[in-house]
Amino acid sequence: MQVLKEDIRGRILAVAEQRFRQQGYSKTSMREIAGAVGVGVGNIYNYFRNKDELFCEVVRPVLHTMEAMLQEHHGIRGEDVMVMRSEKYLKACIDEYVSLIETHRSLLEILLFRAQGSSLEHFRESYTDRSTGLVKAWFAAMKKKYPDINTAVSDFIIHLHTVWMFTLFEELLMHAVPKQEMESILHDYILFEIQGWRAIIKV
């Protein structure tokens, strides 16, 4: 019975992902998902309290990856600022972005383009605000460690740093850029960003 329950739950998630990607959150109904799965609409509520909870569960893998990225760079596991000088850091950033898009392309499209009406409708804005706060705290920690670096950077510039990242993801997705070309684009973009930050911070 437990295996059957997990099978039904998996089918609900798979159908929901397909419908959310095709139609968006607001135009997809629980009844429609139930019909495609082949269960009664009431049965879906044994697995998910409401459509919003189902939506959040569908995109949870990409949310988890985005959170890990945020913490890896500027949060609890933030890198030392001097690592920005290394080729290894550049390659790690490129690999991270490529992996995000290649692994979670469908979910990223849903999250960025199809979330209107859900609790994640303003994900970009909330993520950007959190990122700004974390970068400021990271700058303060790095300033204590390296007093000669420049951390007098406006909140708006820090804010733009994350806005550009989302714009990059959206453009890569909308134009269906193939992996090899995407790696080249990301190399140039991330190199541009790293060199820019190094010039500002003076490292």
Side-chain angles (χ1 to χ4, degrees):
M1 179 61 73
Q2 187 61 37
V3 174
L4 182 59
K5 277 189 172 183
E6 285 303 311
D7 181 56
I8 293 172
R9 187 176 187 278
R11 281 161 52 202
I12 292 169
L13 287 168
V15 168
E17 178 182 337
Q18 180 188 56
R19 297 305 165 98
F20 288 143
R21 188 179 182 194
Q22 290 172 345
Q23 303 170 172
Y25 175 85
S26 60
K27 292 183 179 178
T28 300
S29 71
M30 293 291 262
R31 185 172 299 281
E32 177 185 352
I33 293 168
V37 173
V39 298
V41 67
N43 198 17
I44 287 192
Y45 293 102
N46 293 325
Y47 300 89
F48 304 98
R49 285 176 298 177
N50 51 48
K51 186 171 72 166
D52 191 73
E53 184 180 88
L54 173 56
F55 183 83
C56 291
E57 186 61 20
V58 165
V59 297
R60 184 174 59 82
V62 75
L63 292 176
H64 178 77
T65 300
M66 294 289 291
E67 182 65 24
M69 279 177 54
L70 184 59
Q71 298 300 340
E72 191 71 37
H73 289 291
H74 301 301
I76 52 175
R77 300 189 300 277
E79 293 274 14
D80 187 286
V81 68
M82 294 303 171
V83 81
M84 293 174 75
R85 296 172 170 176
S86 72
E87 282 293 320
K88 184 179 176 183
Y89 179 76
L90 172 63
K91 185 177 187 310
C93 289
I94 295 165
D95 290 346
E96 186 176 53
Y97 279 21
V98 170
S99 176
L100 171 70
I101 296 172
E102 286 295 301
T103 305
H104 300 298
R105 182 181 292 268
S106 174
L107 300 184
L108 201 55
E109 287 181 0
I110 293 169
L111 180 62
L112 297 181
F113 303 129
R114 306 281 188 267
Q116 289 81 3
S118 78
S119 61
L120 292 170
E121 179 175 356
H122 301 293
F123 171 77
R124 269 168 293 200
E125 292 85 349
S126 61
Y127 186 98
T128 300
D129 288 345
R130 288 180 57 228
S131 179
T132 301
L134 283 171
V135 171
K136 287 174 67 178
W138 180 73
F139 274 165
M142 291 299 107
K143 183 70 172 176
K144 285 182 180 178
K145 193 171 181 180
Y146 304 105
D148 291 337
I149 67 172
N150 171 49
T151 57
V153 183
S154 74
D155 289 4
F156 193 73
I157 289 295
I158 299 171
H159 167 89
L160 282 177
H161 166 68
T162 308
V163 170
W164 291 333
M165 179 192 75
F166 278 115
T167 301
L168 170 69
F169 291 160
E170 290 168 355
E171 290 295 317
L172 289 171
L173 291 169
M174 284 191 295
H175 295 281
V177 177
K179 184 177 180 180
Q180 191 170 354
E181 186 182 348
M182 181 167 64
E183 288 180 357
S184 175
I185 291 167
L186 287 172
H187 175 276
D188 291 347
Y189 171 82
I190 293 170
L191 182 63
F192 174 81
E193 277 238 316
I194 290 173
Q195 295 294 353
W197 278 115
R198 285 185 61 187
I200 292 169
I201 302 169
K202 297 181 170 40
V203 298

